[in-house]
Amino acid sequence: MIHHIELYVSNLSESKAFWGWLLEDLGYALYQEWDEGFSYKQDHSYVVFVQVEQRFLEEGYHRKRIGLNHLAFFGRSRLHINELTTTLKDRGTRLLYQNTHPYAGGDKHYAVYFEDPDRIKVEVVAP
């Protein structure tokens, strides 16, 4: 089990607006909040978001470089994936692999793929 994951973000308020509702929908609860960050926790694992220092903003993030490619979470069901997909569209979130949705990961992998404000790929998969 993962203890925690920490992500540096370019705009803390945009990340809070994006990740807050999503993580709550996935069963996480706000755990910590301070001027430069916040975290959400479920059971014994938590996800931390920290405002990156100004001097590191210029490089940006890209999932195809060395480092994190994406984060994947369990959804509750296929219906939950469908509802989440609709909510993401309504929120103007950039969905990925729309031409093969919801089977972009294969015939037996029912999921939605999308990007957060920093273009970190996120996947939510039905059990």
Side-chain angles (χ1 to χ4, degrees):
M1 176 179 283
I2 291 176
H3 185 271
H4 73 276
I5 296 169
E6 186 167 320
L7 301 174
Y8 277 46
V9 298
S10 65
N11 184 309
L12 192 62
S13 61
E14 283 183 16
S15 291
K16 180 84 179 324
F18 177 86
W19 284 100
W21 75 268
L22 176 62
L23 290 172
E24 287 175 6
D25 182 70
L26 296 173
Y28 288 74
L30 185 63
Y31 177 52
Q32 300 164 314
E33 197 165 18
W34 64 101
D35 289 344
E36 295 83 27
F38 62 93
S39 66
Y40 277 80
K41 185 174 184 178
Q42 185 180 75
D43 299 324
H44 301 290
S45 297
Y46 59 101
V47 184
V48 182
F49 302 85
V50 178
Q51 175 64 52
V52 72
E53 292 178 37
Q54 184 67 35
R55 63 188 172 128
F56 296 116
L57 272 173
E58 195 173 305
E59 296 274 333
Y61 167 82
H62 197 289
R63 70 177 180 265
K64 293 190 178 183
R65 292 185 191 133
I66 294 170
L68 177 74
N69 175 268
H70 73 282
L71 295 172
F73 296 90
F74 275 112
R76 292 184 292 281
S77 64
R78 288 182 176 209
L79 176 61
H80 181 229
I81 300 306
N82 296 342
E83 292 168 345
L84 184 57
T85 301
T86 298
T87 301
L88 290 163
K89 285 180 182 178
D90 290 348
R91 294 177 65 94
T93 303
R94 184 167 187 258
L95 297 179
L96 303 172
Y97 320 122
Q98 291 186 59
N99 59 332
T100 55
H101 174 78
Y103 295 104
D107 292 345
K108 297 180 182 179
H109 191 79
Y110 200 92
V112 60
Y113 298 83
F114 51 98
E115 290 182 334
D116 88 336
D118 286 309
R119 301 201 60 205
I120 295 173
K121 183 167 75 171
V122 183
E123 173 184 1
V124 181
V125 61

